[in-house]
Amino acid sequence: VQLQASGGGLVQAGGSLRLSCAASGNFVTINGMGWYRQGPGSQRELVARISSSELTNYADDVKGRFTISRDYAKNTVYLHMNSLKPEDTAVYYCHIEYQTSWFTPTAGSWGQGTQLTVSS
């Protein structure tokens, strides 16, 4: 399973950006999809996650500013980010939970990471 993330870049504080992550490979279903981030000197943390039934959860500091969504037909997860702050600067990683058959346990896969830099 491969994940291709895109959409990072440099944006001014208060701006908006959308991250995308497309999954491809051998799976019969994708369960949860999510975005994590890792800032300089920090541990990787959950930003947002969306389940197969489109239940969402967000980190407290992005609630109301970020929206996660998914396109089932394209096996893609998006992160719409508004009102960006310098503290949102980090490498953003997508993550999926998938099954290669209906009888195998759920496995996880990470994308390669995309850099977001928010200037003040």
Side-chain angles (χ1 to χ4, degrees):
V1 174
Q2 296 82 41
L3 300 179
Q4 183 64 48
S6 61
L10 174 64
V11 64
Q12 288 189 330
S16 299
L17 208 63
R18 188 185 78 165
L19 304 181
S20 301
C21 179
S24 62
N26 180 32
F27 50 83
V28 297
T29 188
I30 297 175
N31 299 320
M33 306 182 84
W35 288 95
Y36 292 72
R37 67 186 178 188
Q38 187 167 15
S42 300
Q43 291 188 331
R44 194 173 298 187
E45 60 179 8
L46 175 69
V47 176
R49 181 184 179 275
I50 184 167
S51 73
S52 57
S53 55
E54 300 197 65
L55 293 176
T56 58
N57 60 289
Y58 297 91
D60 287 342
D61 59 349
V62 306
K63 286 180 182 176
R65 300 189 298 123
F66 291 10
T67 302
I68 189 169
S69 63
R70 62 190 290 176
D71 184 324
Y72 292 88
K74 296 181 179 179
N75 295 316
T76 299
V77 61
Y78 303 97
L79 187 66
H80 307 259
M81 303 179 292
N82 298 317
S83 303
L84 284 163
K85 305 175 181 180
E87 49 265 43
D88 294 319
T89 295
V91 178
Y92 283 71
Y93 298 90
C94 56
H95 180 267
I96 67 166
E97 303 147 24
Y98 66 95
Q99 290 174 261
T100 56
S101 80
W102 298 111
F103 308 103
T104 55
T106 299
S109 181
W110 290 96
Q112 82 279 14
T114 184
Q115 175 71 47
L116 169 66
T117 302
V118 183
S119 62
S120 58

